[in-house]
Amino acid sequence: MWMTPKRSKMEVDEALVFRPEWTQRYLVVEPPEGNGALCLVCHRLVASTRERDVRRHYEAEHEFYERYVTEEERAALVERLRQGDVSIADVLTPEEKAARAGLGLCRLLALKGRGWGEGDFVYQCMEVFLREVLPDQIGVLEGIDLSPEITRQRILSIDNNLRSQLFNRARNFRAYSLALDDQAFVAYENYLLVFIRGVDSDLEVQEDLLTIINLTHHFSVGALMSAILEALQTAGLSLQRMVGLTTTHTLRMIGENSGLVSYMREKAVSPNCWNVIHYSGFLHLELLSSYDVDVNQIVNTISEWIVMIKTRGVRRPEFQPLLTESESEHGERINGRCLNNWLRRGKTLKLIFSLRKEIEAFLVSVGATTVHFTDKQWLCDFGFLVDIMDHLRELSEELQVSGVFAATAFDHICTFEGKLNLFQRQIEEQDLTDFPAFSEVVDELKQQFKEDQKIFEPDRYQMVICRLQKDFERHFKDLRFIKKDLELFANPFNFKPEYAPISVRVELTKLQANTNLWNEYRVKDLGQFYAGLPSETYPIIKGVAYKVASLFDSNQICDKAFAYLTRNQHTLSQPLTDEHLQALFRVATTEMDPRWDDLMRERIESNP
């Protein structure tokens, strides 16, 4: 199990109850249900009743109400808010309204991946609308500037604001992990996306983009390492609090002697550092695993078909669902790598498999080769690939659920490995119960080749499954190393003390004998339970909780970045500075809201 370094005594855990004084201080009231805090201004529910969460919402969204200073002014403001007599428009000056609107529009342009020049088009649309519908209000556009240069500046300002919030929270991280993704980009340049997941003393988890590193300028592993350490230092983080590394399984990341993971672990080895846990199977699970199971280059062949369909078969009704999904993923423009990545998804392959007869008829009509549809082995490989990728898709979707912690994610991995053992036996016995597409192909081939008793070779597919099993064993080896930590974190009341290390047995026995804590464990989620666990009484168990909670439990944030890139590949492949690219990805992936008041003040003071 992990050893917990010595640390200073923590503050007494904050009571998770609504406080009446918050009404005037943060303009919130206790909702009728009694859970959380209800904002009187925007009527949004702050789910948590920790003061820090309520204060965060107030400072991010409504700090302009700080102009009401005295107790009498605050009381009158609360009363007016209760009656619905005050709106944001009543508080803001015309200049502030224009600044806030301009910032919000720029953020929306970034979220949708639109080019800098499209701000002018948005402005023209608003101008036409107001002139025709609300001519008396046309003057509100005077203070809004959406020119390309101003849009660039504002998105950079939003990025700086979000990054400052991240750095402020990072100072309170008890533990953190990094996710390094060098496989997301389909643009002309290659970049490394560095995400961070940190956990504070309240077991509150924060996932966000730390930095983007241009691999063209940081080609060597040593240069990459320096860039990552610089980003950590800028955020005020030391390697002493780093717990885990999640990466892709490329040679740049996991090369035995020259991979970035080896360098990071070597750098993190010191008496004051924890053993860094590394696992490389979370990111782009379907994409990277498909290369191992695509034994006959099926995807490359299908990619050629899709290009022909998009250029010569767009009006055929049978292909409309396929084309619609393709355009929703990466637009009308065909990017070879992006198209290839999309085809490696289990859902896509399943759809194409269901259209194989229609595709064959289309290829015949345009004079293209259909030799693959008469190749017995190729068809069997196609059916097998569809099924195995569909199983990988199910696992990938399970790993996209955030907020479950690494213990649950590891359970999904172990369950899938058990499925692979079952698949091995089924293929050996030629039982295709869990391979519906493969079974369909085999049945069709049996009708065509009635005299041929041997339709497929089980050894061929057993080797593929065996390769996949070895990959999973290698990618998640470190998670097996901390399996007891994960089990202790997930089920502290069912974990037998005699199986725990000597250092934690006393705490574990005391915990399991506490009836009040058992009742809390039953009604709260794990994060809330460990947040309320007294650190003075259970320092080692709480230390394990910090580390486990800081491990990436899903690939959600990386998938969000990948989806943003594939949807907006044309815009993002245009010349952009690394600074602007980082700003776009931060805006697209963060769960934080910009602090609009700070941004408005900066905007008005600079008066660009």
Side-chain angles (χ1 to χ4, degrees):
M1 297 181 75
W2 274 312
M3 296 299 293
T4 308
K6 294 180 180 179
R7 53 179 175 274
S8 59
K9 184 177 179 180
M10 290 171 46
E11 298 177 359
V12 178
D13 292 314
E14 187 179 356
L16 301 179
V17 294
F18 184 89
R19 297 180 184 175
E21 60 266 26
W22 292 352
T23 299
Q24 283 197 19
R25 189 182 304 164
Y26 304 124
L27 307 180
V28 293
V29 293
E30 188 173 12
E33 301 81 9
N35 296 320
L38 183 65
C39 180
L40 287 171
V41 182
C42 62
H43 305 292
R44 285 166 56 186
L45 180 67
V46 182
S48 173
T49 47
R50 295 192 186 97
E51 183 174 7
R52 59 180 299 169
D53 298 318
V54 178
R55 182 178 65 248
R56 223 177 247 171
H57 172 79
Y58 175 76
E59 291 176 349
E61 298 289 337
H62 312 303
E63 197 178 19
F64 41 78
Y65 284 100
E66 283 294 293
R67 64 191 67 189
Y68 295 87
V69 179
T70 67
E71 184 176 347
E72 293 77 12
E73 288 177 330
R74 300 293 288 186
L77 174 63
V78 168
E79 188 59 31
R80 291 178 64 193
L81 286 169
R82 288 181 186 272
Q83 297 175 4
D85 292 339
V86 180
S87 67
I88 292 176
D90 296 328
V91 182
L92 297 178
T93 64
E95 293 80 9
E96 289 172 332
K97 293 176 187 176
R100 189 180 179 97
L103 288 163
L105 287 169
C106 289
R107 184 194 185 203
L108 184 61
L109 287 170
L111 282 170
K112 298 301 180 181
R114 314 312 297 179
W116 311 126
E118 295 193 31
D120 283 336
F121 175 69
V122 172
Y123 184 93
Q124 293 168 14
C125 291
M126 293 191 298
E127 191 175 30
V128 170
F129 175 81
L130 289 176
R131 186 180 295 115
E132 298 296 330
V133 181
L134 299 169
D136 296 340
Q137 303 295 322
I138 191 71
V140 301
L141 294 177
E142 292 180 1
I144 300 177
D145 188 352
L146 295 177
S147 63
E149 186 57 37
I150 294 299
T151 301
R152 287 191 190 95
Q153 292 177 13
R154 286 178 176 173
I155 291 175
L156 287 178
S157 296
I158 292 173
D159 173 60
N160 289 333
N161 184 277
L162 293 170
R163 187 170 56 175
S164 297
Q165 290 186 58
L166 173 63
F167 290 174
N168 288 335
R169 297 184 188 186
R171 296 191 188 102
N172 299 317
F173 286 169
R174 293 285 177 166
Y176 71 90
S177 295
L178 298 179
L180 311 177
D181 184 1
D182 63 343
Q183 288 291 297
F185 268 78
V186 293
Y188 299 141
E189 298 284 348
N190 281 328
Y191 290 83
L192 175 69
L193 300 178
V194 182
F195 299 98
I196 188 168
R197 176 186 170 99
V199 59
D200 61 16
S201 56
D202 292 323
L203 265 293
E204 184 175 342
V205 174
Q206 174 76 33
E207 281 189 17
D208 230 299
L209 177 70
L210 179 63
T211 187
I212 290 181
I213 301 173
N214 191 324
L215 296 177
T216 305
H217 302 151
H218 301 82
F219 184 76
S220 68
V221 173
L224 272 179
M225 179 73 179
S226 299
I228 293 172
L229 292 178
E230 182 181 350
L232 290 173
Q233 186 176 7
T234 305
L237 293 167
S238 72
L239 289 178
Q240 294 182 359
R241 286 286 177 258
M242 186 168 72
V243 172
L245 277 174
T246 306
T247 70
T248 59
H249 42 273
T250 60
L251 286 176
R252 182 192 286 117
M253 292 291 113
I254 63 171
E256 187 172 350
N257 297 318
S258 59
L260 183 59
V261 173
S262 300
Y263 277 71
M264 292 285 286
R265 279 181 153 172
E266 184 178 342
K267 190 73 175 178
V269 171
S270 79
N272 296 321
C273 293
W274 295 321
N275 293 324
V276 176
I277 301 302
H278 169 250
Y279 45 104
S280 58
F282 266 27
L283 310 186
H284 308 295
L285 176 68
E286 285 182 89
L287 171 62
L288 296 177
S289 297
S290 68
Y291 289 95
D292 292 326
V293 299
D294 187 2
V295 292
N296 208 344
Q297 302 299 308
I298 305 291
V299 171
N300 291 340
T301 302
I302 296 176
S303 180
E304 296 173 3
W305 296 348
I306 299 301
V307 171
M308 277 193 281
I309 291 172
K310 288 175 77 74
T311 54
R312 302 175 67 179
V314 290
R315 295 187 178 181
R316 298 197 175 216
E318 62 269 28
F319 297 139
Q320 292 313 304
L322 181 65
L323 295 173
T324 301
E325 183 173 331
S326 172
E327 290 178 8
S328 70
E329 287 290 329
H330 45 74
E332 296 180 1
R333 297 174 179 267
I334 299 177
N335 178 298
R337 182 180 171 188
C338 184
L339 178 64
N340 193 282
N341 292 349
W342 173 66
L343 290 172
R344 291 185 181 278
R345 295 185 181 179
K347 182 181 178 181
T348 309
L349 283 171
K350 198 172 183 179
L351 177 58
I352 292 171
F353 180 81
S354 68
L355 293 170
R356 66 190 185 282
K357 300 296 184 184
E358 291 82 357
I359 292 174
E360 182 180 10
F362 165 74
L363 294 175
V364 170
S365 69
V366 298
T369 180
T370 58
V371 64
H372 298 96
F373 292 96
T374 58
D375 186 333
K376 185 168 61 174
Q377 182 170 290
W378 191 93
L379 288 171
C380 287
D381 290 346
F382 186 19
F384 174 79
L385 178 65
V386 169
D387 288 328
I388 202 71
M389 290 306 300
D390 195 47
H391 290 304
L392 283 165
R393 174 193 60 79
E394 292 176 358
L395 174 61
S396 182
E397 288 178 354
E398 289 175 336
L399 296 179
Q400 287 175 13
V401 179
S402 62
V404 296
F405 299 113
T408 302
F410 185 56
D411 287 342
H412 294 319
I413 297 294
C414 293
T415 300
F416 186 77
E417 288 177 328
K419 285 185 179 181
L420 290 178
N421 292 329
L422 173 63
F423 295 160
Q424 278 279 22
R425 294 194 299 271
Q426 288 179 328
I427 293 293
E428 182 180 5
E429 299 168 359
Q430 300 192 24
D431 174 11
L432 303 182
T433 304
D434 290 310
F435 295 87
F438 193 7
S439 177
E440 188 176 337
V441 169
V442 170
D443 290 341
E444 290 176 0
L445 291 174
K446 284 181 178 179
Q447 293 295 322
Q448 295 179 28
F449 305 96
K450 295 182 179 180
E451 297 180 358
D452 193 347
Q453 298 296 319
K454 190 174 184 181
I455 301 298
F456 69 95
E457 298 177 3
D459 292 347
R460 179 180 180 86
Y461 305 109
Q462 283 183 290
M463 287 177 59
V464 175
I465 296 173
C466 183
R467 190 186 309 147
L468 206 55
Q469 287 175 312
K470 290 179 179 178
D471 284 344
F472 270 72
E473 185 177 347
R474 183 173 72 254
H475 297 326
F476 300 104
K477 179 177 63 175
D478 278 11
L479 287 181
R480 290 181 179 82
F481 176 72
I482 59 166
K483 186 176 180 180
K484 285 187 176 181
D485 297 84
L486 299 176
E487 291 175 352
L488 173 61
F489 174 82
N491 297 291
F493 287 92
N494 294 329
F495 195 92
K496 295 183 178 180
E498 58 266 27
Y499 295 150
I502 296 175
S503 59
V504 79
R505 288 179 185 174
V506 174
E507 285 188 20
L508 189 58
T509 303
K510 190 187 304 182
L511 174 72
Q512 293 176 353
N514 192 316
T515 306
N516 292 331
L517 289 177
W518 163 244
N519 291 331
E520 289 184 16
Y521 174 76
R522 288 190 303 166
V523 299
K524 294 181 178 180
D525 62 39
L526 279 174
Q528 292 175 332
F529 169 74
Y530 282 110
L533 196 66
S535 56
E536 297 84 359
T537 310
Y538 307 100
I540 299 178
I541 292 179
K542 195 143 187 177
V544 172
Y546 289 142
K547 296 166 196 166
V548 174
S550 70
L551 293 174
F552 276 87
D553 59 0
S554 78
N555 54 17
Q556 188 180 64
I557 191 168
C558 296
D559 275 3
K560 188 186 293 186
F562 185 63
Y564 179 75
L565 197 149
T566 52
R567 282 196 311 269
N568 306 299
Q569 54 170 312
H570 180 63
T571 300
L572 296 176
S573 62
Q574 302 302 313
L576 291 171
T577 65
D578 293 350
E579 189 179 22
H580 281 107
L581 198 63
Q582 178 173 283
L584 290 174
F585 272 90
R586 191 183 308 280
V587 170
T589 57
T590 187
E591 295 293 330
M592 296 186 294
D593 291 321
R595 292 193 169 176
W596 299 111
D597 293 337
D598 295 342
L599 288 166
M600 284 193 299
R601 279 194 293 269
E602 293 171 9
R603 173 84 174 113
I604 294 171
E605 289 170 3
S606 61
N607 194 25

